[in-house]
Amino acid sequence: MAEPSTLPDVLLALRRAFASGTPPTPTTSEDATSATDANEDLSKATHLQFSSPSHTSYPLSAPTRFISSDKPVDLRSIFFAWKNKDVPITEYIASTQKLNEDLATEKGGAGGQVQNLIFVEKLDLIAWLEGASDESEYITPLEAEAAAAQAADSALITSGAAGGIATVPSGTAGKGALGRTLDPRLQEIYNGERRMGDRNSVLRGIKPTDFSHVRKSAEVFLSKSRHARAAAASTTNGPATTNTSTLPIVPSPASKKSNRRPDPIILLSPSASSLLRLSNIKPFLEAGAYQPPDSSSSASSILHISRLLPQVDSQRPLRFILVDTPEQFKPDYWNRVVAVFTTGQTWQFKGYKWQQPMDLFRNVLGIYIGWRGEDVPANVKGWGRGVACLGVDKWMGPTGNRWRDREVVEGFWGRVQEHMVAKGWGKDGIGR
């Protein structure tokens, strides 16, 4: 079995294993040779064994490049989050607590603790492992290791241990290049010289320095400059000419990562009387076909819907996150909320940033969905123009004609697009 330091990166190994359809197997030994060594119980298992492309094993306690709360998350927590990718948040939290209890050594467990990832971190991790995203703001890039190695080489140059500009070797003291006697004063000058470093050692010194903040600051000014040039070009009526000074600047991969567009969020009503819930909202908004919510199904607590909104970004569809509770929200997530579905029940807003309906719908678009032909509740009407009231035909069974549903869905996306444009959403996010 290979040493841990020589094994490939475990996150990349996980991603390749899931892509190939051969997920790893938890085992109770480093080099499992029999079927009894395999154990799906993560409270007993100590290693994760991969069979493709080669037979390798990683300790479940090994740290990974996934960072949460400024600390690396261990492999056991990563694999546990993957196994529970489709369960609701409350069930995932309860399973985490139970696994931590079972891991206790006094109960015969393997020891350690499983970290509970918040829903955005878990969502980002699953998307990266499934290959739906090629980058993650929570995963430290492997390029950092190459930069550290380069800085170490530069440190050796600075200290005189390697590289640099060669000086006269001490073994030739008193002799020239052709064996002639060297002038004593010139020899004294040579002895006082120090070995010079290259441009890397001058810039970095003896410690690796992260200059990514400089790129982020520069991108702000470069972005403003690009917008200014584009505005100037659009107002010019003369024939188009090629000018190298006005060509768009291609951002580096690092600047692309720092400017990753945040996903807008849509909040659903958790009320049992709501016509649209997590179990039926996706087919309605994607296919324009309403069907009653299924209260018996254990629907996922997070959904994703992609939709092209030309006035926001005419090239790339936006990926919307749909949830029915803000329990796991960080303060900045509220800036990404673009719509809130409501039934008119004010208890829904308990825990929101804006708990008064008038304040909420001054900042976020409200959506009320009711049956066509029925009156809108008086309190919803009283919340003003910030709430869009839409009606769908009553459900008459799967054989009923639902052609009007598409019209309602298009009206919904039209209002969402108007709201996002008014709030400053652009192709790179809010205010970009």
Side-chain angles (χ1 to χ4, degrees), residues 215-237:
R215 291 194 298 268
K216 294 179 182 178
S217 300
E219 181 61 25
V220 175
F221 297 99
L222 293 176
S223 177
K224 291 180 180 178
S225 177
R226 286 196 295 271
H227 291 323
R229 287 198 298 269
S234 63
T235 57
T236 303
N237 296 323

Side-chain angles (χ1 to χ4, degrees), residues 26 42 51 97 120 125 128 171-172 174 199 206 210 322-323 376:
L42 288 181
S51 58
Q97 294 174 346
V120 172
L125 171 66
W128 187 87
T172 61
R199 61 186 179 90
I206 61 175
D210 182 11
L322 279 69
V323 293
V376 177

Side-chain angles (χ1 to χ4, degrees), residues 1-60:
M1 187 65 62
E3 293 294 328
S5 59
T6 64
L7 292 174
D9 177 68
V10 64
L11 285 182
L12 289 177
L14 272 176
R15 186 176 182 178
R16 291 168 184 154
F18 294 142
S20 63
T22 56
T25 304
T27 63
T28 54
S29 63
E30 180 179 3
D31 191 7
T33 56
S34 65
T36 57
D37 293 329
N39 194 333
E40 291 293 335
D41 187 354
L42 288 181
S43 66
K44 309 293 184 185
T46 59
H47 289 75
L48 202 59
Q49 189 172 90
F50 294 77
S51 58
S52 177
S54 61
H55 184 78
T56 53
S57 181
Y58 296 82
L60 283 170

